Amino acid sequence: MTYEQGTEALKAGDFAAAVSHFETAAKGDPGSAIIRYNLAQALRHVGRDGDAIIQATKALARDPTLNPAARLLTYLLSYLRLRNPGDIDPAGLAAAFNFINVDHQVLATTALAYLKHCTGLADALAIGKAQGWDTAAKWLLSSKGRAVLRDPLLHTTLSAAANTDLDIELLLTALRKTLLMAPRKETLGKGHVLEFAYVLIRQSEINEYVFAVSGDEHHHLENIFINPQGIADGSRAASENLLLKALYTPLWQLLGEHGKNDDAWSVSPKRWGDLIAAHLSERRKIAEAARGIESLGTIGDEVSQNVARLYEENPYPRWLSLHTPTSSSRRNLLSGYFSSQELAFMDAPYTVLIAGAGTGQQAVDAALGYGPEAALTAIDLSLASLAYGKRMATRFGAKSIRFVQCDILNADLLEETFDVIESIGVLHHMDDPWTGWKILASKLRSGGLMKIGLYSKAARTTIAALRKDIQGRALGDDAQTIRDYRQEVIGQGEAGKAAFLLQSADFFSLSNFRDLMFHVSEQHVTIPQIANFMTENGLSFHGFQMPLDIAEGYPDGDSIVDLGRWHDFEDAHPDSFKGMYVFWCR
């Protein structure tokens, strides 16, 4: 009866009573997943978010198929970090990664914290800090480190999301080097080490091979040769050669044209063959997606050409999962900025433009969030980025998106006008952001809504200084240069002028860091400039998308749409929009 009383209390909004009933029920039936999930919901409603996180992991440990628990867990972790992650159930946290409709990167932050402080990984990291990372890598490969390399949560996390912990990166970098340089009988000859090598390859793919590569490693790699026929015939030595090089270079690059005939291969061991096949299959599906994407106009602007080159080489952002929205979520969000009358167009079929769609994360999220009445067009300079986005749209069942390769400067070639236009983090990479914004505004129907994201001049002061230094040193933007620059930042440590980068998730993947620090074109704007542009172009400001960590005292009430007040606030708190200005207008 206690469980039924809890569900009734939960429905009635008596959350304190629900917590009491579900806690009693959990004692009587400790193996029940649904009781733990409902307890997590009730705890969230009484403000005990940390306890709700713990109970959600316990629910998933009992039933790894309980998707609502995974979504609740991920939602809570998106804004809360546990001070002590030791009480979570690691099996439940690992289970949450099995769902594509939750954000794996959010889960990874907590998973890495748990692994770092509550498992044998802590011992390896302590050795690394005290005796050097090469010594720690050798410890991992000894019998003492076997349990760490077999940890299922570590396997799951590194196979699903980019590592964002510097100590763990330094350990993994040293481990990769040891795997390359040490006798294979001492490394790949051990089953658990071989399995972890597969995990390390997957992590390298996810972070786009951002780990440092020493001169000794480069030299050693040059002396390892790829024998596609030997791999196809099941040669263990040929297979191991490919594996070691795949720790440093994507499989599709290593195999080239030979990878097109992998269906008939007999790779040894079979697990490695399955991983190769999955990698090449996904690559082929992205290539197939590219062949179906239409193109409008030519990319004639020099800055646009340079930006297109960057994103062809490093499609951005590389994403693998998404906390999928409900079909009513966009309208619910917009109701905080616009009146019901202003949103009445959403009751019938309407059109949405995602301008600068990149790899499709924003477009897929929008397509699912706007719902079935919305027809989306997603444009971008980069065909490689759009192909990735189209492939991901298929995986998420977002069928309403039309992908088009098109420069924003050529947006007038789109025949229709749009009810909603979103352009986030794109205009500030144009030679003239205001020209780009004006062209987009011309494609907005009268009364249409627009979401814009632009870099703040005030918030990007430090990054601008670092970028100026990079340009002054005439550094290129190739992968090795970016890796070397990261090593400079790591070597300078917390006392370095770029130390804040070590706290950024963008630091831990190649395309993200290239976009952050090595972009070929970046403009910064001010709130008065935004206000002037909107006045001149018939747009009205309807509010910022508020940063989670914004300082107290920001404009509210009627002044929340007063850009003059916001400018005063930013003068007093210049880091408020360190991500970017993101706002709605009409």
Side-chain angles (χ1 to χ4, degrees):
M1 186 63 182
T2 301
Y3 172 72
E4 288 75 13
Q5 290 173 318
T7 57
E8 289 300 319
L10 193 60
K11 291 176 183 177
D14 188 353
F15 301 120
V19 168
S20 178
H21 289 305
F22 287 135
E23 285 179 337
T24 301
K27 291 177 182 177
D29 187 1
S32 170
I34 196 66
I35 290 174
R36 299 281 180 175
Y37 166 60
N38 282 319
L39 175 56
Q41 292 190 83
L43 287 165
R44 172 198 165 197
H45 284 295
V46 297
R48 294 169 58 187
D49 289 352
D51 291 331
I53 289 169
I54 292 165
Q55 291 302 325
T57 65
K58 291 183 177 180
L60 283 163
R62 288 157 175 78
D63 181 3
T65 69
L66 192 58
N67 185 243
R71 287 180 63 82
L72 175 61
L73 172 64
T74 311
Y75 169 73
L76 292 169
L77 290 175
S78 69
Y79 64 83
L80 180 67
R81 287 194 181 186
L82 292 177
R83 293 180 180 177
N84 179 12
D87 290 332
I88 67 171
D89 192 310
L93 183 55
F97 283 99
N98 292 327
F99 301 100
I100 195 174
N101 68 343
V102 301
D103 190 336
H104 293 171
Q105 201 61 55
V106 168
L107 294 171
T109 301
T110 295
L112 293 168
Y114 176 86
L115 289 160
K116 187 174 183 179
H117 298 290
C118 306
T119 72
L121 183 62
D123 296 328
L125 296 175
I127 292 170
K129 290 180 178 181
Q131 302 177 43
W133 296 108
D134 289 342
T135 301
K138 291 175 183 177
W139 181 88
L140 274 180
L141 293 170
S142 72
S143 59
K144 296 178 180 178
R146 185 180 294 117
V148 177
L149 294 185
R150 286 178 170 168
D151 190 297
L153 180 59
L154 183 60
H155 280 222
T156 298
T157 304
L158 295 180
S159 299
N163 166 66
T164 52
D165 184 278
L166 181 58
D167 292 337
I168 294 175
E169 175 180 324
L170 295 173
L171 178 63
L172 294 177
T173 303
L175 178 61
R176 182 179 67 167
K177 181 179 179 181
T178 302
L179 290 175
L180 176 67
M181 310 290 277
R184 296 182 189 182
K185 287 185 179 180
E186 299 177 11
T187 56
L188 303 183
K190 302 175 181 178
H192 69 284
V193 176
L194 183 61
E195 284 295 319
F196 195 80
Y198 302 148
V199 172
L200 196 49
I201 288 172
R202 179 58 180 155
Q203 173 59 205
S204 298
E205 291 176 346
I206 291 170
N207 68 41
E208 300 157 292
Y209 298 86
V210 77
F211 292 167
V213 184
S214 67
D216 287 344
E217 287 167 285
H218 278 299
H219 178 72
H220 203 87
L221 287 165
E222 288 173 356
N223 293 314
I224 297 177
F225 299 97
I226 301 299
N227 177 5
Q229 190 59 53
I231 297 166
D233 293 340
S235 164
R236 183 72 180 227
S239 175
E240 288 180 350
N241 278 356
L242 178 64
L243 186 150
L244 290 174
K245 296 203 80 164
L247 289 166
Y248 293 84
T249 305
L251 280 164
W252 64 269
Q253 288 187 15
L254 293 171
L255 293 170
E257 291 295 313
H258 300 286
K260 293 183 178 180
N261 304 313
D262 67 300
D263 289 345
W265 289 5
S266 300
V267 181
S268 177
K270 184 178 181 301
R271 164 93 163 122
W272 179 221
D274 292 342
L275 293 174
I276 294 170
H279 174 95
L280 295 178
S281 173
E282 187 62 24
R283 184 76 185 177
R284 284 192 286 267
K285 289 175 182 176
I286 293 173
E288 177 63 27
R291 286 191 282 272
I293 293 174
E294 62 183 296
S295 179
L296 287 178
T298 59
I299 304 173
D301 178 77
E302 183 178 358
V303 170
S304 294
Q305 290 173 349
N306 289 334
V307 172
R309 175 189 64 82
L310 184 151
Y311 290 129
E312 287 295 326
E313 295 173 357
N314 288 105
Y316 168 85
R318 295 299 294 266
W319 59 289
L320 302 170
S321 60
L322 179 70
H323 197 89
T324 54
T326 63
S327 60
S328 61
S329 62
R330 268 303 203 276
R331 185 163 190 163
N332 293 338
L333 170 69
L334 288 170
S335 66
Y337 297 90
F338 303 98
S339 69
S340 57
Q341 183 178 356
E342 290 168 329
L343 299 179
F345 71 90
M346 301 180 81
D347 294 328
Y350 61 99
T351 55
V352 178
L353 173 66
I354 308 297
T359 52
Q361 186 175 34
Q362 180 189 355
V364 172
D365 183 80
L368 299 175
Y370 282 116
E373 295 290 350
L376 271 77
T377 300
I379 66 172
D380 198 83
L381 291 164
S382 165
L383 181 61
S385 296
L386 289 169
Y388 188 89
K390 187 177 179 182
R391 166 61 182 147
M392 294 300 280
T394 299
R395 292 185 68 188
F396 282 91
K399 301 176 182 179
S400 62
I401 309 174
R402 169 195 175 201
F403 289 92
V404 182
Q405 185 181 19
C406 179
D407 191 343
I408 286 175
L409 293 174
N410 295 329
D412 59 327
L413 296 176
L414 295 166
E415 294 180 358
E416 65 267 61
T417 57
F418 297 89
D419 298 290
V420 183
I421 296 178
E422 295 188 12
S423 187
I424 310 299
V426 179
L427 296 173
H428 50 232
H429 291 313
M430 301 181 72
D431 184 46
D432 182 0
W434 312 108
T435 296
W437 191 1
K438 188 170 185 176
I439 291 171
L440 291 181
S442 73
K443 301 301 295 181
L444 192 65
R445 70 155 176 84
S446 178
L449 317 180
M450 181 175 275
K451 185 180 184 182
I452 295 293
L454 292 163
Y455 281 150
S456 160
K457 184 176 182 179
R460 304 277 292 189
T461 301
T462 305
I463 287 178
L466 291 176
R467 284 174 50 82
K468 186 175 181 180
D469 176 64
I470 289 171
Q471 292 161 3
R473 293 165 61 185
L475 297 180
D477 59 2
D478 60 282
Q480 189 58 44
T481 298
I482 294 171
R483 293 189 196 103
D484 291 343
Y485 183 80
R486 288 181 78 252
Q487 288 309 111
E488 288 183 27
V489 175
I490 292 170
Q492 291 167 3
E494 296 298 329
K497 59 184 178 181
F500 70 97
L501 293 173
L502 300 172
Q503 308 304 317
S504 170
D506 288 339
F507 186 76
F508 294 92
S509 74
L510 192 71
S511 64
N512 286 23
F513 192 64
R514 185 179 185 183
D515 187 83
L516 178 68
M517 296 304 302
F518 287 81
H519 205 287
V520 294
S521 175
E522 182 172 304
Q523 316 293 332
H524 303 150
V525 306
T526 67
I527 289 178
Q529 287 177 310
I530 292 171
N532 289 339
F533 176 89
M534 289 200 289
T535 298
E536 293 171 0
N537 290 274
L539 296 169
S540 58
F541 178 72
H542 283 255
F544 286 111
Q545 184 172 296
M546 305 292 280
L548 290 175
D549 57 351
I550 194 167
E552 294 182 0
Y554 58 83
D556 58 6
D558 292 341
S559 64
I560 202 166
V561 293
D562 184 338
L563 284 171
R565 294 285 297 276
W566 276 108
H567 178 52
D568 293 339
F569 174 79
E570 189 180 31
D571 274 347
H573 307 280
D575 291 331
S576 295
F577 296 98
K578 57 181 176 291
M580 68 180 81
Y581 302 121
V582 179
F583 55 91
W584 284 95
C585 54
R586 180 170 181 266

